[in-house]
Structures are given as C-alpha cells and as structure tokens.
Amino acid sequence: CSVSEYISLFQLAVTKFRTYCPNAEILFCYNKDRSFNSEASFLKGYPGDEYVDIMSWDDYSIGNSSKVGTKEQTIESMLNRSRIVTSCAKSHGKIAALFETNNNSEDVTEQATFYSDFVQVMLNDQQTDLSFIGTWAVNLTGDERKQAFSEFIRQPNIIFNR
C-alpha cells in the first residue's frame, strides 16, 4: 500500500480499538524494519502523535557479519539506528525501543558475543535511550552462548523477564 494508505489504516485501527475497547490498556507502536538511515526515512509513514505510544524498530542483522560487514560497521549502523529512534521518540514525547532483535549469524562466536559486544554497547551509548529491547528466539545451545547470555542478564542495567 502507499504511505498515505498505511497511515490511514494505522489511524483507523487505533481509533477502532479506542472506540470499541475504551477500558483496554493498549500501547500502540510505530515500528520499522532496519532499513532506515535518517529521521526522515524513519518517520516516513508516521501516523501522528495522537496514535502512537512507542517508537521502535526490528533488527536481526546486529552482530551478523555476513549481513552487515565488519564488527565496526555493525556497531556504527546499530548505533545510528538506535540514536535516530531515540531522537525521534524524544522529540515526539514517546517511548523508544528495539522491539525485535537477535543474532541470527551462523557463526558461534558472533552468537556468543551478541550481548556483550553489541547489545550492551548500544545500551551504554550516551545518545541512546531505549526503554526496552525484545529478543526473539534466544539460542542457548552451547556453553559459550549460555555463559554469554547469563553474564548479560546479570548486568545492573538489565531487567530480564521471560
């Protein structure tokens, strides 16, 4: 559909939920895939502040050198997106989040260092302010991955919930 059709559909859905479920405790999220590189491209299709509570993106390329490139390139692009979403959320008075992520690399080392070398770097970034990160299908097979994940969830800035 076109951008204007998407915006209309989003607004209609929110309006219907609010009309027919007035007591429901629902937060509405404007979410993009990782294919943005500026605030303008992130906000393309934004339905308006009155329809959105959370701004976020999905990114399964973090820490996957076969999709993104070097570790440095991955960190740079990851931080760029997290800073864009943080900035947009702040300027619109919304919550910033990374809705879905995980390392889907075939490389065991990249999987084991996903949290320490990438997610924790993003969370420690002074220009990033994410309220939550949702991981999907955490693969804990193998001692390296189990150890890395266990260490990550014990960090003082992490609240882990299954």
Side-chain angles (χ1 to χ4, degrees), residues 49-128:
D49 289 345
E50 62 273 22
Y51 299 98
V52 173
D53 303 298
I54 302 168
M55 290 181 162
S56 71
W57 83 106
D58 296 344
D59 194 341
Y60 285 93
S61 69
I62 296 172
N64 189 340
S65 61
S66 67
K67 286 190 175 183
V68 180
T70 67
K71 180 178 178 180
E72 292 75 22
Q73 290 169 320
T74 300
I75 290 172
E76 182 181 332
S77 62
M78 170 191 73
L79 290 177
N80 182 50
R81 285 189 285 277
S82 67
R83 291 168 180 170
I84 288 169
V85 173
T86 294
S87 176
C88 288
K90 282 184 179 181
S91 67
H92 289 268
K94 306 301 173 190
I95 297 165
L98 173 52
F99 248 41
E100 287 187 22
T101 191
N102 199 0
N103 179 282
N104 60 7
S105 172
E106 299 297 323
D107 184 295
V108 175
T109 302
E110 286 184 346
Q111 291 174 1
T113 62
F114 172 68
Y115 296 101
S116 61
D117 289 1
F118 298 98
V119 175
Q120 196 64 44
V121 168
M122 183 171 33
L123 293 175
N124 291 337
D125 179 55
Q126 295 299 308
Q127 296 175 55
T128 296

Side-chain angles (χ1 to χ4, degrees), residues 101-103 114-115 134-141 145 149 160:
T101 191
N102 199 0
N103 179 282
F114 172 68
Y115 296 101
T135 58
W136 186 256
V138 176
N139 183 348
L140 294 179
T141 59
R145 283 182 243 168
F149 187 72
F160 177 72

Side-chain angles (χ1 to χ4, degrees), residues 6-16 46-48 50-51:
Y6 173 81
I7 291 170
S8 294
L9 179 61
F10 195 108
Q11 292 172 343
L12 176 67
V14 171
T15 300
K16 292 296 181 183
Y46 185 66
E50 62 273 22
Y51 299 98

